[in-house]
């Protein structure tokens, strides 16, 4: 295998590749399979015309990348953000392949995105953009081909539009084309909380591994969207002490701990700024909150937050990644040297895709499960995946991140060997 140049620290695709290279070498992956798995299977760029409310016509750039369908249909979210790029979507699609393999669900990896600022667009503009994007991709998507889900900047409503547009094109109601839908349209109970719940399950397991007690254990969460707010709420209810919170506008640190349901009400019902939460403690930047005293730190916002420059400032004993790619490749060794127990993104946030899998199963069987059944099954998948990753780490003498990649690559490669290469 060739020795590639060191990745640029802020290029998420190069970061994903660097970990893949190390893990592929460790498992002795054959040269041919290495090449096959290194590159995505398909990439599409779309130029999406949208009539704006002011009468003007705007053209947005969007992407869909299918990294792998070796173990099943592509699976992965759609992101709406100003800094979406093909490299980012590629990295996220690749991570989805590994993530689905880590939790052992029958999906490959995919991801999509549109360069836009959803905060500055009306509901009508977002709907038209989503429908045109879906219509252009109608031949690529499908319950057996590629199944999108929400990601940063998209939500249940976006998924309802994707499902409706696809269904209009195929002439039949196809709920299983997308997950993360509203419950009324074939969504799963427990999906909204699933990623945050999976984060908590990993933290529970990491505590048991490191011998730290749960009651009063101090937790910092960066990002107060779907993943961050749900993780904070569920962990607060379970007895953890949430001492740090942040969103894009800034963060708060308070040793006394936050009453998280009240913060959720403040931000989501009263529509007020997180940083202005009454008696919220010390105001910090969104990123600085990660470096305050705590036992567990959960980056649950965006990529490239813990870097070579700041990793030495992390004070936590456990790093549990809710976001995709929050820690750069260069920061990994600094985190390792500090003895921080890491739950890597492809395990830490895999609760979301696991319940997306349950949603897809329920849509296809046309029979819906109780929330307790969803949570119980999620627990089984996360518990097993966590144990497998830690077992790989101990067996091969590598950190948990490389262990998770090794486990995933092993599973995808063995499926590929069985399928063979279609000439
Ligand atoms: P979201 O859009 O609901 O929330 C994102 C949060 O991050 C918001 O609070 C936002 O203010 C904050 N944020 C954005 N930019 C920031 C910045 N520069 N600094 C600090 N905070 C910032 O998104 P989400 O669905 O919660 O996803 C968060 C992360 O988790 C992403 O990396 C996503 O890929 C990953 N993820 C999400 C899911 C899911 O089920 N939603 C599943 C797996 C992984």
């Amino acid at each position: 295998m060739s020795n590639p140049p060191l990745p640029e620290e802020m290029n998420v695709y190069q970061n994903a590749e660097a970990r893949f290279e190390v893990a592929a070498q460790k498992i002795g992956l054959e040269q041919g399979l290495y090449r096959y798995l290194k590159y995505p299977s398909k990439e599409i760029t779309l130029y999406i015309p949208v009539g704006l409310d002011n009468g003007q016509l705007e053209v947005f750039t969007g992407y869909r990348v299918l990294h792998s369908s070796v173990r099943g249909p592509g699976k992965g979210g759609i992101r709406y953000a100003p800094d979406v790029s093909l490299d980012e979507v590629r990295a996220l699609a690749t991570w989805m392949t590994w993530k689905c393999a880590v939790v052992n669900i029958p999906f490959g990896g995919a991801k999509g995105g549109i360069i836009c600022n959803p905060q500055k667009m009306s509901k009508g503009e977002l709907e038209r953009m989503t429908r045109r994007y879906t219509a252009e991709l109608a031949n690529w998507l499908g319950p057996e081909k590629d199944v999108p889900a929400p990601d940063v900047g998209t939500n249940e409503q976006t998924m309802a539009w994707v499902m409706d547009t696809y269904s209009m094109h195929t002439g039949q109601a196809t709920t299983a084309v997308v997950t993360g839908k509203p419950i009324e349209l074939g969504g799963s109970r427990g999906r909204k909380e699933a990623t945050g719940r999976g984060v908590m399950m990993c933290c529970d397991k990491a505590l048991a591994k490191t011998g730290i007690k749960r009651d009063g254990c101090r937790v910092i969460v960066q990002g107060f969207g779907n993943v961050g707010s749900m993780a904070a709420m569920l962990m607060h209810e379970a007895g953890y002490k949430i001492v740090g919170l942040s969103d894009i506008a800034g963060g708060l640190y308070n040793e006394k701990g936050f009453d998280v349901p009240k913060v959720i009400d403040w931000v989501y019902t009263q529509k007020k700024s997180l940083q202005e939460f009454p008696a919220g403690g010390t105001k910090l930047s969104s990123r600085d909150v990660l470096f305050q005293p705590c036992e567990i730190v959960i980056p649950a916002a965006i990529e490239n937050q813990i870097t070579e420059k700041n990793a030495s400032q992390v004070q936590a004993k456990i790093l549990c990644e809710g976001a995709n790619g929050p820690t750069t490749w260069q920061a990994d060794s600094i985190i390792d040297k500090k003895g921080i127990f890491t739950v890597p993104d492809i395990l830490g946030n895999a609760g979301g895709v696991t319940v997306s899998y349950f949603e897809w199963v329920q849509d296809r069987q046309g029979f819906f499960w109780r929330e307790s059944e969803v949570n119980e099954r999620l627990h089984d998948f996360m518990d097993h995946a966590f144990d497998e990753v830690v077992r790989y780490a101990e067996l091969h003498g590598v950190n948990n991140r490389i262990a998770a990649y090794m486990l995933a690559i092993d599973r995808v490669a063995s499926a590929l060997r069985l399928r063979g290469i279609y000439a």
Side-chain angles (χ1 to χ4, degrees), residues 42-340:
K42 286 180 191 138
E43 297 177 352
I44 185 165
T45 301
L46 306 141
Y47 298 96
I48 308 151
V50 179
L52 302 182
D53 293 350
N54 65 10
Q56 298 208 323
L57 180 66
E58 184 58 88
V59 179
F60 294 91
T61 306
Y63 308 100
R64 186 77 190 169
V65 173
L66 176 68
H67 174 258
S68 169
S69 54
V70 170
R71 285 169 39 91
K75 186 88 197 76
I78 302 174
R79 179 173 291 197
Y80 289 172
D83 53 0
V84 163
S85 67
L86 184 54
D87 255 359
E88 181 187 61
V89 177
R90 224 183 248 147
L92 290 161
T94 310
W95 280 325
M96 286 308 295
T97 302
W98 309 137
K99 193 183 299 182
C100 293
V102 165
V103 280
N104 212 359
I105 57 177
F107 284 129
K111 202 82 182 191
I114 303 181
I115 305 171
C116 64
N117 188 343
Q119 267 87 43
K120 297 215 166 123
M121 293 171 72
S122 70
K123 194 171 175 191
E125 290 168 343
L126 287 168
E127 176 172 357
R128 293 193 288 282
M129 184 176 77
T130 303
R131 288 189 181 279
R132 182 67 184 239
Y133 173 77
T134 309
E136 297 281 358
L137 286 173
N139 291 331
W140 290 59
L141 305 179
E144 307 292 342
K145 289 184 183 171
D146 183 355
V147 185
D151 192 75
V152 176
T154 56
N155 54 29
E156 289 187 347
Q157 176 62 74
T158 325
M159 297 306 111
W161 293 327
V162 173
M163 178 263 176
D164 182 68
T165 308
Y166 180 83
S167 298
M168 290 297 116
H169 275 253
T170 54
Q172 51 192 356
T174 313
T175 52
V177 66
V178 77
T179 61
K181 298 180 294 293
I183 303 242
E184 300 87 321
L185 289 179
S188 176
R189 292 187 177 84
R191 173 63 184 88
K192 195 160 61 112
E193 299 82 5
T195 312
R197 190 178 294 281
V199 166
M200 178 174 75
M201 287 169 176
C202 288
C203 290
D204 288 349
K205 300 273 292 179
L207 286 189
K209 219 43 219 159
T210 49
I212 302 170
K213 281 213 191 77
R214 179 154 88 172
D215 273 347
C217 169
R218 294 169 305 168
V219 179
I220 289 173
V221 185
Q222 183 203 36
F224 206 62
N226 173 272
V227 182
S229 68
M230 288 298 149
M233 188 190 75
L234 293 167
M235 291 178 79
H236 168 80
E237 281 171 0
Y240 287 93
K241 189 173 171 189
I242 313 300
V243 293
L245 291 170
S246 80
D247 66 9
I248 192 165
L252 288 172
Y253 182 81
N254 192 339
E255 267 288 348
K256 291 192 199 127
F258 289 96
D259 185 339
V260 180
K262 284 202 176 132
V263 186
I264 290 182
D265 178 69
W266 177 261
V267 172
Y268 284 99
T269 313
Q270 302 186 47
K271 310 265 180 229
K272 295 195 174 140
S273 143
L274 172 71
Q275 254 200 342
E276 301 309 322
F277 183 70
T282 314
K283 287 186 184 174
L284 299 156
S285 75
S286 310
R287 192 185 295 213
D288 283 345
V289 78
L290 294 169
F291 310 115
Q292 305 309 308
C294 64
E295 280 70 45
I296 302 181
V297 65
I298 302 173
I302 52 160
E303 295 105 28
N304 297 337
Q305 296 301 292
I306 300 175
T307 68
E308 189 174 26
K309 288 204 183 78
N310 62 31
S312 61
Q313 299 167 39
V314 175
Q315 300 195 42
K317 309 265 183 309
I318 295 167
L319 163 63
C320 184
E321 297 180 339
N324 286 306
T327 310
T328 67
W329 182 80
Q330 280 82 347
D332 279 351
S333 57
I334 302 170
I335 295 289
D336 282 350
K337 277 201 199 97
K338 287 175 72 97
I340 297 170

